[in-house]
Amino acid sequence: MSRCVVVGSGAREHALAWGLAKTSDVVVTPGNAGIAAHGIACVEASPLELSADLFVIGPEQPLVDGLADQLRAQGKTVVGPGLEGARLEGSKAYMKEFLSAAGVPTAGFGAFDDEREAIGFLATMQPPYVVKTDGLAAGKGVLVTDDFDEACADVREKLSGAAFGDAGTTVIIEEGLDGEECSLLVLCDGTTTRPLVPAQDFKRVGDANQGANTGGMGAYAPMVAMTPLLVDQVMAEIIAPTLDELLRRGIDFRGVLYAGVMLTSRGPKLLEYNVRFGDPETEVLVPLYGEGLFDLLARVGGGRLDGATLAAQGFAVTVVLAAHGYPQHPRAGDVIHGLGADGQLAEPVEGVIIFHAGSTRDAEGRFVTSGGRVLAITGAGATMAQARERAYRAVALVTFEGRVVRSDIALAV
Ligand code: AMP
Ligand code: GLY
């Protein structure tokens, strides 16, 4: 059996490890208590000290720090771009410059490190006002508001470095776009690109998309509103010029190009690129690909994506259970009820898998909360309605004090 190392400690890595483990031996570093309870090996070791046929890097930070380059320098096969490719996510100012050079449709923007200039530019924009930090901010560095004064205050706070430190000392101000959002995760082996089925993520903390932006409160796939025709359009107008530009810059991008796309009345526009699997998108996508995940990812890392079969089946809905106080001040230490010793449902529901993110075990061996997003509960089924019903049936069985959960994931689909 092939051996595989997954780098990371969230529900995304749990889902990747679970999918890869169907056909390979998987080790996760560092992993978490829920992954280990699910029977997947977790080790506290630098990936550089491990050996495997395939390395899959989950989070953006190690990619931006150059881990994929270091592994490749050791001759390893890796899913995840090197430092140069990761800049597409690591700096929004770089990404916007890249998109302009590539001719990719995106929101108009300005990048500023001077407060007066930033606010002067903001005054020329129409609401909604969009203010972003330049660097990595775990999905929380974006403000979208109709309130001009709130936008100005946000510019000041971000430029002061108070909110995001160095990541925030340049702000991006963008034209506000309107429409449905889609996460299109595109596999790229350096020269060939293939889209996974489109997913939709729910970014706001509250029902009906109210409240603060988060890392993602739930997702479903396939996103039916993103028709095959629209996928083709995004591949032609957004992904193809991006690949051309990557090649022009000499970047051998092997990993996931995650396009955050807004379906505007004037066609699809790119909101942002991430250079990795989405979270919670991965928790809905992995179950759809059955036993095919290892082969697909081995082809991405090995530059053999041309000719791969991508066979997705069924529907999946993921609901995130977040800790009390998420996203601003998540509380740790709340006991999670309804899980068995293996971290899955004590009272199983068909088609449901629980992926762990911010959970750990207390001195008595009970699962307790230890991070913002605690669990991602995925229901899979033959229809979206069945997948959703299963996911929410499981959500009702897993409780902890003050949990933050949306009740409308995939409701309007
Ligand atoms: P980002 O991290 O850039 O994807 O932004 C987080 C979220 O903010 C996106 O998923 C959108 O919901 C929203 N957003 C970002 N940019 C814009 C924009 N230009 N217009 C409207 N909404 C936006
Ligand atoms: N779901 C949003 C992200 O992974 O960045």
Side-chain angles (χ1 to χ4, degrees):
M1 229 189 206
S2 304
R3 188 177 142 93
C4 206
V5 168
V6 175
V7 179
S9 63
R12 165 183 51 211
E13 288 74 28
H14 191 168
L16 288 167
W18 173 81
L20 290 165
K22 290 179 187 294
T23 58
S24 64
D25 273 334
V26 181
V27 172
V28 187
T29 173
N32 65 42
I35 300 175
H38 210 172
I40 298 169
C42 293
V43 298
E44 292 276 348
S46 161
L48 296 169
E49 285 154 16
L50 299 173
S51 60
D53 304 295
L54 183 67
F55 286 73
V56 182
I57 303 174
E60 58 275 20
Q61 191 69 57
L63 293 168
V64 168
D65 294 342
L67 177 61
D69 297 311
Q70 291 174 293
L71 287 167
R72 287 194 180 102
Q74 296 181 333
K76 310 263 173 65
T77 303
V78 185
V79 176
L83 219 139
E84 278 299 312
R87 285 180 78 198
L88 276 180
E89 177 166 0
S91 163
K92 288 192 191 283
Y94 173 82
M95 172 188 65
K96 292 300 253 183
E97 178 272 317
F98 183 105
L99 298 181
S100 306
V104 169
T106 183
F109 79 105
F112 305 92
D113 46 27
D114 178 81
E115 180 183 311
R116 259 202 10 219
E117 284 177 28
I119 289 179
F121 183 75
L122 201 56
T124 69
M125 307 296 278
Q126 304 292 317
Y129 304 102
V130 181
V131 183
K132 302 185 176 184
T133 52
D134 180 47
L136 295 180
K140 297 166 206 152
V142 177
L143 176 78
V144 182
T145 179
D146 286 334
D147 182 341
F148 181 71
D149 293 334
E150 189 189 359
C152 292
D154 192 58
V155 166
R156 282 190 205 100
E157 194 190 341
K158 280 176 175 154
L159 285 180
S160 75
F164 297 102
D166 283 348
T169 50
T170 298
V171 292
I172 312 295
I173 294 173
E174 271 185 22
E175 169 198 3
L177 300 177
D178 205 17
E180 285 274 315
E181 265 181 82
C182 173
S183 301
L184 190 68
L185 277 62
V186 179
L187 301 178
C188 181
D189 73 351
T191 51
T192 298
T193 55
R194 302 289 294 275
L196 299 180
V197 294
Q200 190 165 46
D201 174 22
F202 292 71
K203 292 237 163 78
R204 300 280 185 152
V205 71
D207 280 0
N209 300 325
Q210 299 300 302
N213 261 318
T214 71
M217 295 299 293
Y220 68 89
M223 178 179 172
V224 184
M226 183 76 172
T227 60
L229 218 65
L230 277 169
V231 172
D232 287 348
Q233 192 180 352
V234 169
M235 292 303 288
E237 293 175 6
I238 295 178
I239 301 298
T242 297
L243 181 61
D244 288 346
E245 184 65 23
L246 285 168
L247 293 172
R248 222 175 350 257
R249 295 184 186 211
I251 300 172
D252 183 19
F253 192 106
R254 298 185 185 205
V256 179
L257 251 184
Y258 159 160
V261 176
M262 189 76 100
L263 304 175
T264 76
S265 53
R266 289 180 295 140
K269 293 198 180 192
L270 188 80
L271 282 178
E272 64 159 352
Y273 272 129
N274 295 313
V275 297
R276 50 169 175 80
F277 280 98
D279 190 356
E281 288 90 336
T282 305
E283 293 94 296
V284 283
L285 290 170
V286 166
L288 304 184
Y289 287 90
E291 297 194 344
L293 191 65
F294 178 83
D295 177 60
L296 268 181
L297 296 189
R299 284 169 175 274
V300 168
R304 296 182 287 108
L305 196 52
D306 200 16
T309 16
L310 277 74
Q313 254 193 349
F315 294 80
V317 173
T318 294
V319 182
V320 169
L321 271 55
H324 176 273
Y326 182 74
Q328 285 87 4
H329 304 291
R331 185 171 72 193
D334 288 307
V335 177
I336 305 170
H337 304 281
L339 300 179
D342 62 355
Q344 299 298 298
L345 286 173
E347 189 185 312
V349 175
E350 192 187 347
V352 167
I353 318 145
I354 302 204
F355 298 120
H356 288 240
S359 80
T360 187
R361 289 189 193 263
D362 68 4
E364 294 160 51
R366 298 173 302 183
F367 282 106
V368 296
T369 64
S370 64
R373 291 186 289 179
V374 177
L375 303 171
I377 299 188
T378 296
T383 63
M384 192 71 79
Q386 185 181 50
R388 182 171 196 278
E389 190 273 326
R390 288 173 169 176
Y392 273 104
R393 192 138 45 93
V395 166
L397 296 172
V398 181
T399 56
F400 52 87
E401 195 72 25
R403 66 179 202 168
V404 177
V405 186
R406 281 186 64 159
S407 67
D408 63 347
I409 306 301
L411 178 62
V413 184

